[in-house]
């Protein structure tokens, strides 16, 4: 039996689900909190592409949308261009947005990671970027993106 390596996170965001959804799907809004360039085709099979993450301006993530339920749910395959351990499309990100307490509860599951090291690295990345998403969706400046802190 293969052990599942999964990252799960929840965060309460002081913004309505429609606002959070826009920051997850609109390329201009995505780059306000993550990456330098984004491209999305919001339909099953449509492209998810994000370039210039953190301190590696040449790094790109690529996948394809599997589910798009406006303001409620996203699911898309994910991986790193040129990545041997997590290549494009090799893992799955599922995001549910639930209206709660005059804001949004975001529940994220990232499954299909190949090992504990990749699971830990992606968990660290998600912690960093979910904090930035929470700030920008609530109308605050997340500051420049230098990526997750090294060694923390």
């Amino acid at each position: 039996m293969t052990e599942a390596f999964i990252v799960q996170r929840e965060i309460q965001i002081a913004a309505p689900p429609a606002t959070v959804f826009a920051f997850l799907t609109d390329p201009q809004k995505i780059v306000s909190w993550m990456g330098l360039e984004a491209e999305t085709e919001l339909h099953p099979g449509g492209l998810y592409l994000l370039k210039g993450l953190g301190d590696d301006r040449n790094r790109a993530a690529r996948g394809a949308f599997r589910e798009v339920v406006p303001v409620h749910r996203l699911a898309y395959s994910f991986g790193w261009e040129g990545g041997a351990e997590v290549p494009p499309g090799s893992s799955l990100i599922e995001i549910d947005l639930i209206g709660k307490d005059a804001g949004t509860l975001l529940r994220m599951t990232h499954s299909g990671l190949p090992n504990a090291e990749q699971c830990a690295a992606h968990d660290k990345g998600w912690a960093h970027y979910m904090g930035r998403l929470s700030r920008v969706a609530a109308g605050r400046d997340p500051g420049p993106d230098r990526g997750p802190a090294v060694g923390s």
Side-chain angles (χ1 to χ4, degrees):
M1 184 166 125
T2 303
E3 182 178 337
F5 294 103
I6 297 171
V7 174
Q8 292 181 304
R9 289 199 159 264
E10 280 190 4
I11 189 169
Q12 180 69 30
I13 300 174
T19 298
V20 178
F21 189 84
F23 276 102
L24 291 167
T25 58
D26 179 322
Q28 290 182 325
K29 291 185 183 296
I30 292 169
V31 297
S32 69
W33 61 278
M34 179 169 54
L36 296 174
E37 183 182 331
E39 188 176 338
T40 59
E41 298 169 353
L42 295 177
H43 57 82
L47 177 68
Y48 173 88
L49 177 64
L50 185 61
K51 296 180 180 179
L53 291 163
D55 60 355
D56 186 349
R57 298 303 183 193
N58 295 315
R59 192 163 199 197
R62 177 183 295 272
F65 284 97
R66 294 190 183 173
E67 281 184 80
V68 179
V69 181
V71 311
H72 297 292
R73 181 171 169 79
L74 290 171
Y76 53 95
S77 64
F78 178 91
W80 300 101
E81 290 185 345
E85 289 191 281
V86 185
S90 66
S91 65
L92 177 65
I93 296 170
E94 298 172 274
I95 298 172
D96 290 298
L97 304 175
I98 301 142
K100 181 179 177 190
D101 298 332
T104 302
L105 176 64
L106 183 151
R107 286 189 180 140
M108 184 279 308
T109 300
H110 189 164
S111 60
L113 296 166
N115 55 47
E117 181 182 15
Q118 286 297 319
C119 195
H122 283 85
D123 186 50
K124 185 177 180 180
W126 278 113
H128 171 75
Y129 284 111
M130 287 178 83
R132 292 179 57 78
L133 171 61
S134 179
R135 287 190 289 282
V136 74
R140 299 190 318 270
D141 182 357
D145 179 18
R146 293 183 178 89
V150 175
S152 62

